[in-house]
Amino acid sequence: MTKVLLLVAHPDYENSVGNKTITIALAELPNVNVRNLADLYPDFKIDVAAEQKALLESDLIILQYPIYWYNMPPILKQWFDKVFAYGFAFGDGAKLTNKTIMASVTAGSPENSYPEGEMKRIMLPVKASAEFCKINYLEPLASYGIYSSPNQDEASKASVLASAQAHINKLITIITNYKF
Ligand SMILES: Cc1cc2nc3c(=O)[nH]c(=O)nc-3n(C[C@H](O)[C@H](O)[C@H](O)COP(=O)(O)O)c2cc1C
């Protein structure tokens, strides 16, 4: 069974709807190890050894986060900066070459506000990092129109939850069908 590492990076997880719904559902799967980075490292002091161990124990690394200003939240960037070290992620003794990585993201804007190919372009730093480290790269799974606001009506809340559920179903299909 594919061993999955779900790295959750949400600066305000408590108030998340999309990423929290997705994380809770994925945590139910026996082969998914969830690491909630903002929870583990509120001070941004990443335990590099623990993160590297979790990576070595996984086959498929899923980066789960909301798109913030067309980018990843800072805790995930900090994770890359600290964990993807020389001798571990690249260079002599690189250890991630048989792994696969994929971003699983939520975006507040509707899909039609993203020009064709835009999400793939936003992901280029993840893709280039994967290629640099000789990690297999899967194109991102993105769900759009996922947001919450104080004045949100019931129909809009229901639509967000339906999108999150559709995202969960797609993620489970990817995990189940992916062959290494
Ligand atoms: C600081 C900030 C920046 C954001 N930037 C974007 C953006 O660039 N594109 C977009 O589609 N949504 C953007 N959003 C909306 C978030 O992507 C959306 O709130 C999130 O995906 C909802 O997931 P959640 O329920 O897990 O919080 C932004 C939200 C915040 C708070």
Side-chain angles (χ1 to χ4, degrees), residues 116-154:
E116 178 77 28
E118 179 83 337
M119 191 54 83
K120 285 188 184 176
R121 281 196 289 277
I122 291 170
M123 290 298 156
L124 283 180
V126 178
K127 185 178 189 193
S129 301
E131 286 172 356
F132 184 70
C133 298
K134 301 188 171 61
I135 300 171
N136 305 313
Y137 177 78
L138 296 185
E139 292 297 350
L141 175 63
S143 290
Y144 301 85
I146 297 201
Y147 70 98
S148 52
S149 70
N151 308 323
Q152 204 167 11
D153 61 31
E154 290 307 314

Side-chain angles (χ1 to χ4, degrees), residues 10 16-19 66-70 106-109 114 146-147:
H10 195 299
S16 156
V17 176
N19 287 270
I67 297 290
Y68 277 10
W69 289 115
Y70 303 95
T106 63
S109 301
Y114 280 81
I146 297 201
Y147 70 98

Side-chain angles (χ1 to χ4, degrees), residues 30-52:
N31 54 329
V32 176
N33 176 19
V34 176
R35 291 183 72 79
N36 189 329
L37 297 178
D39 238 23
L40 286 166
Y41 309 115
D43 54 3
F44 273 55
K45 291 198 175 110
I46 307 271
D47 181 340
V48 172
E51 295 307 317
Q52 292 184 341

